Amino acid sequence: MTRTFTVRSLAALLMTILVISCQDHRAQPTSGLIMKVFTARSVDENGTTVFTRGGAANIRPGYGTFLLDLSDANNVVLREFDGNVFKGQWVVPSNTQLNLVNLMPQPSGSNGTISYTINSITSTELVLTRTSASQKTGGLIVRYTLTTL
């Protein structure tokens, strides 16, 4: 009886290990990793750091309220460093690009679209570089290191 129980227990354990090891362990696609609410950890404008969370000498302290809400599969909320809020949709046309589209009100000079290069993404951090210059920063290219809430 004990031997039969041990063999069955061992067989069940081996089957469990086999099932777990055969599961698909591919990396989660960018669109799945990105569905979160992000705030700024640090921001660079043309290579100059203008904001670091907790920093005492931030050039643009307004980035402390920056928010990029991608938690809804269809909608985005972007709160810029100057407090302006834009709403629209987001799309990830490739694993290296994020587009905010149909933004209302339309950010200056954007035609309602802001595009970013996705430099890196993990489950807790997103690094983006805006693909076009921002009029709000005086025509500078902005790189954001964002973290989840």
Side-chain angles (χ1 to χ4, degrees):
M1 173 94 169
T2 302
R3 182 178 170 105
T4 304
F5 178 74
T6 303
V7 170
R8 286 183 183 166
S9 296
L10 184 58
L13 177 63
L14 290 174
M15 288 299 287
T16 302
I17 292 170
L18 180 64
V19 167
I20 291 171
S21 67
C22 290
Q23 289 180 353
D24 190 359
H25 293 289
R26 289 179 289 177
Q28 188 175 7
T30 300
S31 58
L33 285 170
I34 213 165
M35 288 184 62
K36 296 181 173 89
V37 179
F38 295 94
T39 59
R41 182 169 58 86
S42 66
V43 179
D44 297 341
E45 295 176 354
N46 275 12
T48 300
T49 301
V50 296
F51 174 82
T52 302
R53 185 182 302 144
N58 286 320
I59 297 168
R60 291 201 199 271
Y63 279 116
T65 62
F66 179 92
L67 179 86
L68 180 60
D69 184 348
L70 304 168
S71 62
D72 184 318
N74 298 311
N75 300 302
V76 62
V77 176
L78 171 65
R79 183 174 57 223
E80 283 279 7
F81 71 90
D82 60 0
N84 287 327
V85 176
F86 304 94
K87 295 181 180 183
Q89 290 79 46
W90 64 273
V91 293
V92 178
S94 73
N95 283 337
T96 60
Q97 188 173 359
L98 168 66
N99 295 334
L100 309 184
V101 298
N102 302 319
L103 293 172
M104 293 307 256
Q106 288 187 359
S108 299
S110 72
N111 289 326
T113 299
I114 300 175
S115 296
Y116 302 92
T117 298
I118 300 172
N119 302 104
S120 65
I121 187 168
T122 68
S123 61
T124 60
E125 183 177 87
L126 174 62
V127 180
L128 300 172
T129 301
R130 189 167 162 158
T131 60
S132 61
S134 169
Q135 289 187 0
K136 289 183 182 192
T137 62
L140 304 176
I141 297 293
V142 182
R143 179 182 170 106
Y144 306 85
T145 300
L146 309 174
T147 57
T148 57
L149 284 179

